[in-house]
Amino acid sequence: MSQSTDPASPAGQIAAGYAFTGPALDLGALLWDGACLPEHQIRIPLSMLNRHGLVAGATGTGKTKTLQLIAEQLSANGVPVFLADIKGDVSGISAPGTANEKIEERARDVAQEWEATGCPSEFYSLGGIGPGIPLRSTVTSFGPVLMSKVLQLNQTQEQSLGLIFHYADTKGLELIDLKDLRAVVAFLVSDKGKPELKGIGGLSTVTAGVILRALTAFEQQGAAEFFGEPEFDTSEFLRTAADGRGLVSVLELPAVQDKPQLFSTFLMWLLADLYTDLPEVGDLEKPKLVFFFDEAHLLFNGASKAFLEAITQTVRLIRSKGVGVFFVTQTPKDVPADVLAQLGNRVQHALRAFTPDDAKALKATVKTFPNSGYDLEELLTRLGTGEAVITVLSENGAPTPVAATRLRAPQSLMGPIDAAALDQAVKSSLLYSRYAEPVDRESAYEKISAEQAAAEAEAEAAAAAAEAEKQAKAAAKAAPKPDPSLAEQVVGSGLFRSLARSIGTQLGREISRSIFGTARRRR
């Protein structure tokens, strides 16, 4: 018996930790003492894929191929997969791979029966920017915490944005797209809206102005495309193909590579939305979905405390919904400790130690692994492309021994499919007609605009009525008097008035005499 096959040898003891009885994914063959041992297969239990994981390593060490390898086998086992394609090189998972000398050599090394196979796939894009079925979210669904992240607001401004969302909700102002949110904020800092501003507590005009400017800048970056309706139903990610294989949902992101905060936060929204909608299922024989979060460090850069708490809670609790999350990044230190503690499955590719910071990151990475028979600090710097240090959770939930592994080759195309094939795949999807065309129904913007238009019309009508009344009075005052009639001229003359007085006096005397009995004097 050779040392490599001796169960009591270090290699045999490591291999024993991966001898699972239930369904498992094959990752590769054990590396020990400089040799690849194909008789010792390194695997991960299918039932433990909802315990989350980390795929880490320096650029060019094979992280993307590793997630492609895992995704293929998940799909083959009937598990739907979500992949974020940052660089545009994962679309090949939908097409069979092409055999070549390197693939054949790798297959021999790890005892892999390699067969070119593509996976049933759907392709998505953020808001229709780039190829893919558009993924959209309403502003309300996105929420103030995630919105604060992409607007780069501080904690006080984030709290104020939360108050604005609350105000819109209580007033029945639906926040569908960014112009809705901007309209609400603009209204609250207007003369008419300032009394409302005071009533929602603690929101200053200055802060509202900062939020408004951030929203305007955000829209100028093209972000308005990502918010609106029809809102994508994330349960679409849970589908399987007619042959029982899990659908691989590929989010094409090359067109928005220059907006890393946006797409990383949007991915977090997708995950949070799944968490909200899915029922509790506990531990399953296989997960309902495995979500690969590429370039994960972008998600955590500059994150607020509230945002980090939201991520940590989502990752911790979504396991019981049957969803596994794999973060893909360069070093474990890119992921906050509270999140890293939830990642039970680890695939660590090579790290570089060219600078003092690299050396520090290497030492920190070694500390995140269980004790092992390897000199991990040395091993992690000399792993080849497609090799990794692995530890996973066994079927009973305990960490497996650390295993240096030469990974299997993906069976799908390791690279992008051509643009014409991608476009055809998108437009032939049953989901394309459902989500392709945006819908702009009445919401906060239209309601506020209508109220403002009505108020302006009312003010204009009142001003017009006042002006008409003023002009009428002025016209009446300035109008010439008509010439008096003959009777009026006679009555108004001095002669007539004198005669009237004389007649009045004479008549008065006659009346007095008749009443008091006096007689006229005789001359």
Side-chain angles (χ1 to χ4, degrees):
M1 180 182 295
S2 68
Q3 185 179 5
S4 65
T5 57
D6 182 0
S9 68
Q13 291 176 358
I14 293 172
Y18 293 86
F20 310 123
T21 58
L25 309 186
D26 296 311
L27 299 179
L30 180 67
L31 288 171
W32 181 259
D33 200 20
C36 182
L37 309 176
E39 65 273 19
H40 293 321
Q41 291 292 306
I42 304 303
R43 311 160 74 214
I44 180 172
L46 188 59
S47 61
M48 289 292 112
L49 266 296
N50 70 330
R51 300 298 182 94
H52 312 319
L54 175 72
V55 178
T59 301
T61 56
K63 298 189 299 295
T64 301
K65 302 301 181 288
T66 296
L67 67 88
Q68 192 170 342
L69 171 67
I70 296 174
E72 288 175 354
Q73 295 187 63
L74 285 167
S75 174
N77 280 276
V79 178
V81 176
F82 178 92
L83 296 175
D85 187 8
I86 306 295
K87 298 182 289 291
D89 55 0
V90 183
S91 60
I93 197 168
S94 64
T98 303
N100 57 41
E101 187 177 335
K102 286 186 176 180
I103 287 177
E104 291 172 355
E105 181 182 358
R106 176 59 60 98
R108 287 194 300 271
D109 285 348
V110 300
Q112 176 186 9
E113 295 180 4
W114 191 90
E115 181 181 354
T117 308
C119 299
S121 304
E122 293 272 22
F123 297 95
Y124 300 95
S125 65
L126 287 186
I129 296 181
I133 299 162
L135 296 184
R136 298 185 185 91
S137 165
T138 64
V139 170
T140 294
S141 293
F142 205 70
V145 174
L146 291 177
M147 186 63 73
S148 297
K149 175 69 164 57
V150 294
L151 295 180
Q152 300 181 42
L153 303 181
N154 62 31
Q155 185 175 358
T156 300
Q157 293 158 356
E158 179 180 326
Q159 293 168 349
S160 296
L161 186 61
L163 290 173
I164 293 169
F165 270 69
H166 175 70
Y167 170 80
D169 186 52
T170 56
K171 295 295 183 179
L173 299 171
E174 297 90 345
L175 301 178
I176 304 298
D177 50 30
L178 287 182
K179 72 176 185 294
D180 290 326
L181 181 56
R182 192 182 68 246
V184 172
V185 179
F187 169 73
L188 289 173
V189 296
S190 68
D191 291 338
K192 186 177 180 181
K194 284 179 182 178
E196 300 280 338
L197 196 66
K198 294 178 182 178
I200 62 178
L203 178 60
S204 71
T205 305
V206 173
T207 299
V210 170
I211 294 171
L212 189 60
R213 289 192 295 274
L215 276 172
T216 301
F218 192 43
E219 284 185 293
Q220 290 173 348
Q221 296 170 13
E225 300 289 339
F226 310 133
F227 296 94
E229 291 182 321
E231 184 175 47
F232 186 75
D233 183 355
T234 52
S235 66
E236 305 283 10
F237 295 144
L238 305 177
R239 295 177 299 140
T240 55
D243 60 5
R245 289 184 295 168
L247 274 176
V248 178
S249 299
V250 183
L251 178 59
E252 292 293 326
L253 294 169
V256 291
Q257 284 191 72
D258 58 338
K259 301 177 180 66
Q261 270 203 324
L262 179 64
F263 69 68
S264 64
T265 309
F266 200 92
L267 291 177
M268 192 63 219
W269 170 77
L270 293 176
L271 196 59
D273 194 69
L274 283 166
Y275 167 72
T276 301
D277 291 346
L278 291 175
E280 294 279 341
V281 293
D283 291 324
L284 302 173
E285 291 183 358
K286 62 182 181 182
K288 299 174 72 171
L289 173 72
V290 176
F291 195 102
F292 288 89
F293 212 129
D294 202 2
E295 301 292 338
H297 63 283
L298 298 172
L299 180 69
F300 303 108
N301 287 346
S304 68
K305 181 179 179 182
F307 183 73
L308 290 175
E309 287 174 351
I311 294 176
T312 303
Q313 182 183 37
T314 301
V315 172
R316 181 183 296 121
L317 299 179
I318 203 170
R319 178 186 68 80
S320 62
K321 306 290 184 89
V323 176
V325 182
F326 273 71
F327 291 97
V328 183
T329 189
Q330 294 193 359
T331 72
K333 74 171 190 172
D334 292 335
V335 181
D338 288 343
V339 176
L340 190 62
Q342 308 298 318
L343 312 181
N345 302 301
R346 306 281 297 281
V347 180
Q348 177 66 59
H349 287 268
L351 290 174
R352 310 304 182 208
F354 299 141
T355 69
D357 285 343
D358 290 342
K360 186 177 179 181
L362 175 61
K363 290 181 181 294
T365 299
V366 169
K367 291 179 181 178
T368 64
F369 280 90
N371 292 331
S372 74
Y374 296 98
D375 181 348
L376 289 180
E377 195 168 329
E378 179 188 356
L379 177 62
L380 287 173
T381 60
R382 56 181 179 84
L383 288 171
T385 301
E387 296 177 345
V389 171
I390 292 174
T391 179
V392 302
L393 293 179
S394 66
E395 290 166 313
N396 62 9
T400 58
V402 175
T405 307
R406 181 164 294 164
L407 297 165
R408 293 185 168 214
Q411 298 184 134
S412 56
L413 183 64
M414 289 187 278
I417 58 175
D418 64 71
L422 179 57
D423 185 64
Q424 175 61 28
V426 171
K427 292 182 178 177
S428 63
S429 169
L430 297 176
L431 300 182
Y432 185 76
S433 61
R434 189 180 308 171
Y435 294 107
E437 291 300 320
V439 176
D440 189 11
R441 64 182 175 90
E442 185 184 61
S443 49
Y445 172 80
E446 288 78 13
K447 290 181 179 179
I448 290 174
S449 298
E451 288 181 4
Q452 289 175 338
E456 289 173 3
E458 185 178 346
E460 288 176 1
E467 181 63 23
E469 183 179 357
K470 180 180 177 182
Q471 290 178 358
K473 289 181 178 179
K477 193 173 183 180
K481 294 183 178 179
D483 294 335
S485 65
L486 179 60
E488 289 173 333
Q489 292 179 36
V490 171
V491 171
S493 67
L495 178 63
F496 181 84
R497 287 196 295 273
S498 175
L499 180 61
R501 282 198 299 271
S502 175
I503 293 173
T505 302
Q506 184 67 30
L507 182 61
R509 288 174 181 168
E510 292 298 324
I511 292 173
S512 298
R513 287 172 183 153
S514 66
I515 292 174
F516 298 110
T518 58
R520 259 186 327 181
R521 291 181 180 180
R522 293 183 183 269
R523 291 186 180 271

